[in-house]
Amino acid sequence: MLSEEKKTHIETQSLGVLKRFFGYDSFRPQQQEIITAVCSGRDCEVLMPTGGGKSICYQVPALVLPGVCIVVSPLIALMNDQVMNLQSCGIPAASLHSNQTEAENIEIIHRLMRSEVKILYVSPERLMLEIENWVGKIDVSLFAIDEAHCISQWGHDFRPEYTQLHRIKELFPSVPVIALTATADKLTRADIIEQLRLKNPAVFISSFDRPNLYLSVRQSPQKAKKLNQICEIIDRYPDDCGIIYCISRKSTEQMAADLTERGYSVGMYHAGLGAAVRSRAQEDFIHGRIQVMVATLAFGMGIDKSNIRYVIHNNMPRNIEGYYQEIGRAGRDGLPAETVMFYSFSDVATLKHFIAEGEREQVNMEKLTRMIDYAESGVCRRRVLLSYFSEPCDSDCGHCDNCINPPQRIDGTIIAQKALSAILRTGEQVGVYLLIDILRGSAKAEIITKGYDRLKTYGAGRDLDSPAWRAYLSQMLQIGLIEVAYDDGNKLKITEAGRDVVFGKQKVTFSKFFPEQHKKSSKTKDNPKQRAEGNVDDKLFQELRRLRADMAKIQSVPAFVIFDNKTLTDMCIKRPKTREQFLQVNGVGEMKAERYWTHFTRLIRQFEEKN
């Protein structure tokens, strides 16, 4: 049990590190609790949305604790981004990977031995190769497993190279391990703990809500109309950038060619391109040399670029975890950003074909079904996403297409109670289609054999046809009244919220089902564009932005490594004139203040004199 005195000491130290190196006066929700748990020696599992501040949860303990924090990361680009960011804040960080010469890697190992590195990034393969070699000779303070969902076969991005990481706890039983991910459903969360052999871990699940993201889904129009709509979105953000995800290499190449022909600065990224070509495209995007990245889902893990103002899915993704992670790359600075998904039944056919040819067909097909439910949903999209990650949400967000252009609503309490009652009376042992058959009074052999025809709810839903029941059960899933047990034959289970409805404690509202619903137009009346810079002097913001771009060019780093848009916004509001005032700007730590304060404060003084 952690004493109050030690807890206070850790909190004081961690707040000091946060201010000194990162320039912030306070932590985001749950960060302090996570850091305190890690610093006290506990294993932790952390689920936090993309842009929610996961990295701080191990970077601050790395600076508080004696020794080296080893971070397991799946991608070289992700390692390089993190190291570059940390070094810009004055933190001694390094990475070991195959894009460096062996001499460079050996020199980093020597620096580790001399205690000159506080945070080391390494791939899972490299760590397993070296774990009984030099790793055992250094003082390791903490192991951080980034993108931890990759270890689970239930996760959306399973990677076999992660499966050996359980050896960490075998060889370093007293060193805390923190597993971090932005996307994991209930099943994946439990599997991460089991696969990594975490000992009595503290589990932290932050809200998956990203209120700054506008969520929308559109029926795919004809090619020319779709391209026009995509161009309208790009044109809304001339000073920022975005990502367009496509379903295949061919469609990626076609989209890139179409946008280039229309005069946009476009990069392209897919697995069919050579490693050097992909790396150059990613560098161009991160450094702001291209405006739009058109890519397959192979692109983006760990991209820490703050001014991505839109993410467009040219086609429907195959599961909600992947979709959530991809849209999470927009608006990482907390400022307004837009997400648009185009959806068609041909996408569904293509994805079903991909899944049928791959592994874990049953699980992946069920996850695709949930993705289809999201695309076709008439309820608040944010509620659907939060429900998928088992996060209660009892009100609409007001910031998605379904909230702004709501469908016709009906009281669905009786409908929901019939379905929930039937699930309960079967002992929660049926899936969607068998439940519908029970409700509609089907005489199928399985129903008779199992005695479901003798249930009180047998035939209670004859007034609705199968498509209507499918639609309403989807909505019940979306708003969190029921959930699917993927590890138990996809059987339906009732949540606490669902039990409240069964026993009359809560009413339910549904979007009315129409037989031709899937054919309806998805034109929207709204324009989600908001000033990404907030309510500040636009002229000053643009001048600060130009200065940032010039300095980034001189230093050969992406502009956001110097300061992100949120920090520039705070500069516009506070208008610092001295070094001490500059240090009060959010996102300005000691190293960055020393390096940049004269340039930015001089510009602010000159601006005020002119205006």
Side-chain angles (χ1 to χ4, degrees):
M1 184 72 179
L2 192 63
S3 71
E4 201 60 40
E5 184 182 356
K6 187 173 181 183
K7 183 183 174 201
T8 303
H9 179 64
I10 291 170
E11 289 175 353
T12 303
Q13 277 188 299
S14 55
L15 267 172
V17 164
L18 183 73
K19 181 61 180 172
R20 179 185 171 192
F21 291 100
F22 300 98
Y24 296 105
D25 295 314
S26 60
F27 288 105
R28 295 184 190 180
Q30 290 202 313
Q31 285 180 331
Q32 180 68 82
E33 292 89 337
I34 295 165
I35 290 162
T36 301
V38 172
C39 289
S40 66
R42 281 198 75 177
D43 290 344
C44 294
E45 181 182 49
V46 174
L47 283 94
M48 197 173 275
T50 304
K54 290 189 299 297
S55 301
I56 287 287
C57 296
Y58 64 82
Q59 289 168 353
V60 169
L63 298 170
V64 169
L65 297 169
V68 180
C69 169
I70 295 181
V71 185
V72 176
S73 180
L75 295 175
I76 292 172
L78 173 51
M79 296 184 209
N80 290 341
D81 278 358
Q82 293 280 16
V83 169
M84 180 170 52
N85 277 322
L86 290 169
Q87 289 176 345
S88 75
C89 295
I91 298 167
S95 58
L96 290 174
H97 55 71
S98 57
N99 278 12
Q100 295 170 166
T101 65
E102 202 51 35
E104 288 172 320
N105 285 331
I106 290 169
E107 173 54 27
I108 288 167
I109 293 170
H110 288 161
R111 287 175 57 206
L112 283 163
M113 299 295 186
R114 297 193 299 265
S115 302
E116 294 174 4
V117 175
K118 285 298 287 179
I119 303 178
L120 176 74
Y121 287 82
V122 63
S123 69
E125 305 97 313
R126 184 90 189 204
L127 178 60
M128 290 300 101
L129 187 68
E130 307 278 12
I131 198 160
E132 293 187 59
N133 189 8
W134 56 263
V135 179
K137 298 173 186 174
I138 61 174
D139 180 16
V140 181
S141 61
L142 165 68
F143 286 97
I145 315 299
D146 204 7
E147 310 293 349
H149 59 272
C150 293
I151 201 171
S152 173
Q153 294 208 38
W154 298 105
H156 71 284
D157 192 21
F158 171 65
R159 301 193 176 207
E161 58 269 26
Y162 263 64
T163 56
Q164 296 301 309
L165 293 176
H166 64 84
R167 292 185 64 207
I168 290 172
K169 290 308 290 184
E170 294 170 9
L171 296 171
F172 298 85
S174 61
V175 177
V177 173
I178 179 171
L180 308 107
T181 178
T183 48
D185 58 15
K186 193 183 291 185
L187 200 59
T188 307
R189 295 170 205 166
D191 202 31
I192 289 169
I193 292 171
E194 184 180 340
Q195 296 295 332
L196 288 173
R197 314 288 198 268
L198 301 186
K199 297 176 184 175
N200 186 30
V203 178
F204 298 91
I205 303 175
S206 296
S207 172
F208 281 83
D209 193 10
R210 292 283 306 282
N212 62 315
L213 298 185
Y214 174 83
L215 307 172
S216 66
V217 177
R218 304 181 187 182
Q219 286 281 353
S220 283
Q222 293 177 336
K223 181 184 172 182
K225 287 184 179 178
K226 182 195 274 191
L227 193 61
N228 288 339
Q229 290 180 25
I230 289 172
C231 290
E232 284 172 14
I233 296 167
I234 296 171
D235 290 342
R236 283 205 280 270
Y237 307 95
D239 298 322
D240 290 300
C241 61
I243 304 172
I244 302 174
Y245 285 109
C246 298
I247 202 167
S248 65
R249 299 176 189 181
K250 183 179 178 182
S251 59
T252 300
E253 291 169 358
Q254 186 62 59
M255 178 64 71
D258 290 342
L259 291 174
T260 301
E261 191 177 320
R262 292 203 179 196
Y264 295 102
S265 171
V266 181
M268 184 170 61
Y269 190 108
H270 63 65
L273 301 171
V277 175
R278 291 199 306 272
S279 179
R280 187 164 61 249
Q282 183 158 303
E283 286 293 306
D284 286 345
F285 182 68
I286 289 171
H287 284 261
R289 293 189 285 268
I290 57 176
Q291 184 184 5
V292 186
M293 176 64 85
V294 183
T296 58
L297 306 185
F299 176 77
M301 183 184 281
I303 291 294
D304 189 17
K305 186 170 169 62
S306 64
N307 70 327
I308 297 174
R309 296 267 70 86
Y310 55 90
V311 170
I312 300 168
H313 283 84
N314 188 49
N315 314 94
M316 188 179 75
R318 66 176 68 193
N319 56 58
I320 287 179
E321 293 103 318
Y323 168 73
Y324 179 82
Q325 190 171 47
E326 286 140 25
I327 63 172
R329 287 163 192 148
R332 289 178 67 111
D333 52 11
L335 299 174
E338 181 175 356
T339 72
V340 177
M341 184 180 95
F342 289 98
Y343 161 69
S344 71
F345 287 99
S346 64
D347 293 345
V348 176
T350 302
L351 290 169
K352 283 184 175 178
H353 176 70
F354 287 164
I355 289 169
E357 291 188 334
E359 298 176 357
R360 302 184 303 142
E361 181 180 351
Q362 185 180 356
V363 171
N364 287 331
M365 203 64 82
E366 184 59 37
K367 287 178 179 276
L368 175 61
T369 300
R370 295 296 300 274
M371 190 72 241
I372 296 168
D373 290 341
Y374 173 82
E376 295 181 340
S377 173
V379 303
C380 168
R381 297 204 190 275
R382 205 168 308 273
R383 291 183 72 179
V384 180
L385 287 182
L386 296 180
S387 169
Y388 184 84
F389 293 110
S390 304
E391 180 175 336
C393 179
D394 57 6
S395 60
D396 292 349
C397 72
H399 193 48
C400 71
D401 54 352
N402 281 342
C403 285
I404 291 171
N405 299 285
Q408 187 178 338
R409 306 287 192 185
I410 61 168
D411 183 344
T413 306
I414 300 297
I415 295 171
Q417 284 175 333
K418 287 179 181 178
L420 293 166
S421 179
I423 294 169
L424 278 177
R425 290 172 189 277
T426 65
E428 298 181 303
Q429 292 299 304
V430 296
V432 169
Y433 296 106
L434 188 54
L435 175 65
I436 292 172
D437 286 338
I438 292 168
L439 289 164
R440 288 192 34 75
S442 167
K444 285 182 179 176
E446 183 180 5
I447 290 177
I448 308 302
T449 302
K450 292 183 176 178
Y452 292 153
D453 59 321
R454 297 192 294 275
L455 297 178
K456 192 174 180 181
T457 44
Y458 177 73
R462 284 194 178 96
D463 54 322
L464 297 175
D465 60 16
S466 293
W469 270 118
R470 179 80 178 88
Y472 291 132
L473 286 169
S474 291
Q475 291 186 49
M476 289 171 64
L477 202 58
Q478 291 154 12
I479 61 177
L481 302 184
I482 54 177
E483 58 188 15
V484 177
Y486 298 123
D487 56 342
D488 186 20
N490 297 326
K491 292 169 185 172
L492 298 177
K493 308 293 181 183
I494 299 177
T495 64
E496 284 304 310
R499 292 180 191 279
D500 286 345
V501 172
V502 172
F503 298 112
K505 296 178 184 177
Q506 190 72 42
K507 290 193 172 295
V508 179
T509 301
F510 284 147
S511 299
K512 187 171 182 179
F513 171 77
F514 294 99
E516 299 298 306
Q517 185 167 318
H518 65 281
K519 295 181 181 178
K520 73 177 181 179
S521 169
S522 62
K523 290 180 180 178
T524 56
K525 298 175 284 187
D526 60 298
N527 182 339
K529 171 79 160 109
Q530 300 176 32
R531 285 298 298 162
E533 297 81 39
N535 187 24
V536 297
D537 189 304
D538 189 55
K539 286 183 181 177
L540 176 56
F541 185 89
Q542 295 303 335
E543 289 198 24
L544 290 170
R545 193 173 185 150
R546 277 191 286 273
L547 174 59
R548 179 182 65 178
D550 292 341
M551 302 197 82
K553 194 171 183 181
I554 292 167
Q555 296 177 35
S556 298
V557 297
F560 65 83
V561 168
I562 293 175
F563 294 121
D564 64 20
N565 282 0
K566 206 166 187 179
T567 298
L568 295 190
T569 299
D570 204 37
M571 268 184 227
C572 288
I573 294 166
K574 291 177 178 169
R575 303 201 178 191
K577 310 295 191 308
T578 66
R579 184 181 183 278
E580 287 68 31
Q581 290 172 347
F582 197 66
L583 271 166
Q584 299 309 308
V585 173
N586 277 328
V588 178
E590 289 182 7
M591 174 69 81
K592 289 190 176 183
E594 192 62 40
R595 192 176 290 171
Y596 303 121
W597 80 271
T598 54
H599 305 280
F600 284 87
T601 55
R602 185 191 306 126
L603 186 150
I604 290 167
R605 279 197 303 272
Q606 290 171 349
F607 177 85
E608 290 194 342
E609 287 167 9
K610 280 189 289 183
N611 293 275

Short mmCIF file of all heavy atoms in Angstrom, two decimals, residues 35-58:
data_model
loop_
_atom_site.label_atom_id
_atom_site.label_comp_id
_atom_site.label_asym_id
_atom_site.label_seq_id
_atom_site.Cartn_x
_atom_site.Cartn_y
_atom_site.Cartn_z
N ILE A 35 0.84 7.61 -13.56
CA ILE A 35 2.24 7.87 -13.27
C ILE A 35 2.58 7.46 -11.84
O ILE A 35 3.62 6.84 -11.57
CB ILE A 35 2.56 9.37 -13.52
CG1 ILE A 35 2.54 9.66 -15.02
CG2 ILE A 35 3.91 9.76 -12.92
CD1 ILE A 35 2.42 11.12 -15.38
N THR A 36 1.69 7.76 -10.91
CA THR A 36 1.91 7.39 -9.51
C THR A 36 1.97 5.87 -9.36
O THR A 36 2.83 5.34 -8.65
CB THR A 36 0.79 7.97 -8.61
OG1 THR A 36 0.77 9.40 -8.74
CG2 THR A 36 1.00 7.61 -7.16
N ALA A 37 1.07 5.16 -10.04
CA ALA A 37 1.06 3.69 -9.97
C ALA A 37 2.36 3.11 -10.53
O ALA A 37 2.97 2.22 -9.93
CB ALA A 37 -0.14 3.14 -10.74
N VAL A 38 2.80 3.63 -11.68
CA VAL A 38 4.04 3.14 -12.30
C VAL A 38 5.23 3.42 -11.40
O VAL A 38 6.08 2.55 -11.16
CB VAL A 38 4.25 3.79 -13.68
CG1 VAL A 38 5.63 3.44 -14.24
CG2 VAL A 38 3.18 3.33 -14.66
N CYS A 39 5.32 4.64 -10.87
CA CYS A 39 6.46 5.03 -10.04
C CYS A 39 6.50 4.25 -8.72
O CYS A 39 7.55 4.14 -8.09
CB CYS A 39 6.44 6.53 -9.76
SG CYS A 39 6.82 7.54 -11.21
N SER A 40 5.35 3.72 -8.31
CA SER A 40 5.33 2.92 -7.09
C SER A 40 5.61 1.44 -7.37
O SER A 40 5.57 0.62 -6.46
CB SER A 40 3.97 3.06 -6.38
OG SER A 40 2.94 2.50 -7.17
N GLY A 41 5.85 1.10 -8.66
CA GLY A 41 6.27 -0.26 -9.01
C GLY A 41 5.18 -1.17 -9.52
O GLY A 41 5.41 -2.36 -9.73
N ARG A 42 3.96 -0.65 -9.78
CA ARG A 42 2.86 -1.50 -10.24
C ARG A 42 2.86 -1.67 -11.75
O ARG A 42 3.16 -0.73 -12.50
CB ARG A 42 1.52 -0.91 -9.82
CG ARG A 42 1.15 -1.16 -8.38
CD ARG A 42 -0.33 -0.94 -8.15
NE ARG A 42 -1.16 -2.03 -8.67
CZ ARG A 42 -2.49 -2.10 -8.52
NH1 ARG A 42 -3.13 -1.11 -7.90
NH2 ARG A 42 -3.18 -3.11 -9.00
N ASP A 43 2.49 -2.87 -12.20
CA ASP A 43 2.17 -3.05 -13.61
C ASP A 43 0.88 -2.31 -13.91
O ASP A 43 0.01 -2.20 -13.04
CB ASP A 43 1.97 -4.54 -13.93
CG ASP A 43 3.27 -5.34 -13.86
OD1 ASP A 43 4.35 -4.72 -13.88
OD2 ASP A 43 3.19 -6.58 -13.78
N CYS A 44 0.77 -1.81 -15.14
CA CYS A 44 -0.43 -1.04 -15.52
C CYS A 44 -0.89 -1.40 -16.92
O CYS A 44 -0.06 -1.68 -17.80
CB CYS A 44 -0.16 0.46 -15.48
SG CYS A 44 0.16 1.13 -13.85
N GLU A 45 -2.19 -1.38 -17.13
CA GLU A 45 -2.76 -1.42 -18.47
C GLU A 45 -3.49 -0.10 -18.68
O GLU A 45 -4.34 0.28 -17.87
CB GLU A 45 -3.73 -2.59 -18.63
CG GLU A 45 -4.32 -2.66 -20.04
CD GLU A 45 -5.33 -3.79 -20.22
OE1 GLU A 45 -6.23 -3.90 -19.36
OE2 GLU A 45 -5.22 -4.54 -21.19
N VAL A 46 -3.15 0.60 -19.76
CA VAL A 46 -3.69 1.94 -20.00
C VAL A 46 -4.39 1.99 -21.35
O VAL A 46 -3.77 1.71 -22.38
CB VAL A 46 -2.58 3.01 -19.95
CG1 VAL A 46 -3.13 4.38 -20.34
CG2 VAL A 46 -1.95 3.06 -18.57
N LEU A 47 -5.67 2.30 -21.34
CA LEU A 47 -6.42 2.54 -22.57
C LEU A 47 -6.76 4.01 -22.63
O LEU A 47 -7.47 4.53 -21.76
CB LEU A 47 -7.69 1.70 -22.60
CG LEU A 47 -7.44 0.24 -22.94
CD1 LEU A 47 -7.28 -0.57 -21.68
CD2 LEU A 47 -8.60 -0.31 -23.77
N MET A 48 -6.23 4.68 -23.63
CA MET A 48 -6.41 6.12 -23.75
C MET A 48 -6.51 6.45 -25.23
O MET A 48 -5.73 5.93 -26.03
CB MET A 48 -5.20 6.82 -23.11
CG MET A 48 -5.39 8.27 -22.78
SD MET A 48 -3.95 8.90 -21.87
CE MET A 48 -4.35 8.44 -20.19
N PRO A 49 -7.46 7.29 -25.64
CA PRO A 49 -7.63 7.55 -27.07
C PRO A 49 -6.41 8.20 -27.70
O PRO A 49 -5.60 8.83 -27.02
CB PRO A 49 -8.84 8.49 -27.12
CG PRO A 49 -8.91 9.11 -25.77
CD PRO A 49 -8.40 8.08 -24.82
N THR A 50 -6.27 8.02 -29.01
CA THR A 50 -5.21 8.66 -29.76
C THR A 50 -5.26 10.17 -29.51
O THR A 50 -6.32 10.78 -29.62
CB THR A 50 -5.37 8.38 -31.27
OG1 THR A 50 -5.40 6.98 -31.46
CG2 THR A 50 -4.24 8.98 -32.06
N GLY A 51 -4.12 10.74 -29.16
CA GLY A 51 -4.09 12.16 -28.84
C GLY A 51 -4.46 12.44 -27.40
O GLY A 51 -4.52 13.60 -26.98
N GLY A 52 -4.70 11.39 -26.60
CA GLY A 52 -5.12 11.59 -25.21
C GLY A 52 -3.98 11.74 -24.23
O GLY A 52 -4.20 12.00 -23.05
N GLY A 53 -2.73 11.53 -24.69
CA GLY A 53 -1.58 11.73 -23.82
C GLY A 53 -1.01 10.46 -23.22
O GLY A 53 -0.51 10.46 -22.09
N LYS A 54 -1.04 9.35 -23.99
CA LYS A 54 -0.49 8.08 -23.50
C LYS A 54 1.00 8.17 -23.22
O LYS A 54 1.49 7.64 -22.23
CB LYS A 54 -0.74 6.96 -24.51
CG LYS A 54 -2.18 6.53 -24.66
CD LYS A 54 -2.31 5.27 -25.49
CE LYS A 54 -1.79 5.44 -26.90
NZ LYS A 54 -2.51 6.44 -27.68
N SER A 55 1.73 8.82 -24.13
CA SER A 55 3.19 8.85 -24.03
C SER A 55 3.67 9.47 -22.71
O SER A 55 4.64 9.00 -22.11
CB SER A 55 3.79 9.62 -25.21
OG SER A 55 3.43 9.02 -26.42
N ILE A 56 2.96 10.52 -22.26
CA ILE A 56 3.34 11.17 -20.99
C ILE A 56 3.31 10.17 -19.84
O ILE A 56 4.08 10.29 -18.88
CB ILE A 56 2.36 12.34 -20.71
CG1 ILE A 56 2.64 13.50 -21.66
CG2 ILE A 56 2.45 12.81 -19.26
CD1 ILE A 56 3.89 14.28 -21.39
N CYS A 57 2.45 9.15 -19.95
CA CYS A 57 2.26 8.19 -18.85
C CYS A 57 3.50 7.33 -18.60
O CYS A 57 3.64 6.76 -17.52
CB CYS A 57 1.06 7.30 -19.12
SG CYS A 57 -0.51 8.22 -19.17
N TYR A 58 4.39 7.21 -19.60
CA TYR A 58 5.66 6.52 -19.33
C TYR A 58 6.86 7.46 -19.43
O TYR A 58 7.90 7.20 -18.83
CB TYR A 58 5.85 5.30 -20.26
CG TYR A 58 5.96 5.61 -21.74
CD1 TYR A 58 7.16 6.03 -22.31
CD2 TYR A 58 4.86 5.45 -22.58
CE1 TYR A 58 7.25 6.30 -23.66
CE2 TYR A 58 4.96 5.72 -23.94
CZ TYR A 58 6.16 6.14 -24.47
OH TYR A 58 6.25 6.42 -25.82
#
